[in-house]
């Protein structure tokens, strides 16, 4: 999971709740698992950037938007929260890291 600001710099220092990694456990072939996390702007100014869950079988969404496999834009005002969902779907047997 990567969060990048509009200048291409990491902004995790102003955001709370961003996991370094998510554990999806054992996922049956053809099955899917969703993990949620709450991202919070802990800074004193608005933060905007891009969420990206890269890797085969991964997609994400926020604000109940459609599931996407490409980076998506977000903006959070100070003390504002955003629920982010990441889904993994293992279509082929194997280890995914």
């Amino acid at each position: 999971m990567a969060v990048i600001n509009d200048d291409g710099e990491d902004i995790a220092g102003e955001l709370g709740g961003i996991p370094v990694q998510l554990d999806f456990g054992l996922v049956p072939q053809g099955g899917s698992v969703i993990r949620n996390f709450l991202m919070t702007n802990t800074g004193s100014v608005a933060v905007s950037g891009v969420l990206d869950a890269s890797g085969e079988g991964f997609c994400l969404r926020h604000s109940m938007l459609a599931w996407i496999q490409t980076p998506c834009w977000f903006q959070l005002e100070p003390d504002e929260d955003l629920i982010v969902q990441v889904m993994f779907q293992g279509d082929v047997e194997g280890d995914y890291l």
Side-chain angles (χ1 to χ4, degrees):
M1 172 64 64
V3 181
I4 310 290
N5 71 10
D6 294 335
D7 297 326
E9 297 177 12
D10 187 358
I11 56 174
E14 297 174 4
L15 294 173
I18 301 171
V20 174
Q21 64 183 22
L22 294 171
D23 185 352
F24 290 86
L26 294 174
V27 179
Q29 185 174 349
S32 62
V33 175
I34 297 171
R35 296 288 183 250
N36 302 320
F37 65 92
L38 181 69
M39 187 169 66
T40 304
N41 180 352
T42 59
S44 59
V45 297
V47 174
S48 62
V50 176
L51 291 168
D52 185 15
S54 58
E56 182 180 343
F58 292 94
C59 58
L60 63 83
R61 73 178 178 178
H62 67 79
S63 306
M64 300 310 293
L65 299 174
W67 291 103
I68 58 172
Q69 294 179 319
T70 57
C72 67
W73 185 86
F74 74 94
Q75 180 171 341
L76 289 174
E77 297 296 326
D79 298 318
E80 190 174 30
D81 298 325
L82 180 66
I83 296 172
V84 179
Q85 295 182 298
V86 181
M87 179 171 58
F88 173 75
Q89 184 169 4
D91 293 331
V92 179
E93 186 175 334
D95 292 329
Y96 296 83
L97 301 175

